[in-house]
Amino acid sequence: GFVNEENGLLIPVNDSNALAKAMKHMLNNSGIFNREHIAAKIEKKFSPGNVANRLVKLYNSVING
């Protein structure tokens, strides 16, 4: 998944109390997250060049069966 313990917190859907607690935790503990590591993972997964390469592979697999 996109969010994990290395880059954030997951909370139950429609749980406003959990959201408030998670937001306070993130505000008070933002220093525990490795920003460079998170940025590198996001770049690797979602940079325009990498997304384009994945799309080309997908299209080729559909076209070539």
Side-chain angles (χ1 to χ4, degrees):
F2 183 75
V3 176
N4 59 49
E5 61 274 352
E6 291 181 353
N7 61 21
L9 300 172
L10 291 174
I11 60 167
V13 174
N14 295 325
D15 188 337
S16 58
N17 289 330
L19 176 60
K21 286 175 125 179
M23 291 175 72
K24 286 178 185 177
H25 174 79
M26 294 297 291
L27 179 64
N28 294 327
N29 298 286
S30 64
I32 66 174
F33 298 99
N34 184 329
R35 294 176 181 176
E36 290 80 20
H37 177 74
I38 294 169
K41 287 186 104 171
I42 296 301
E43 173 71 20
K44 182 177 181 182
K45 193 167 189 175
F46 297 108
S47 70
N50 288 332
V51 171
N53 286 336
R54 287 198 311 270
L55 286 173
V56 167
K57 287 179 184 177
L58 175 64
Y59 293 149
N60 282 333
S61 71
V62 170
I63 291 170
N64 297 323

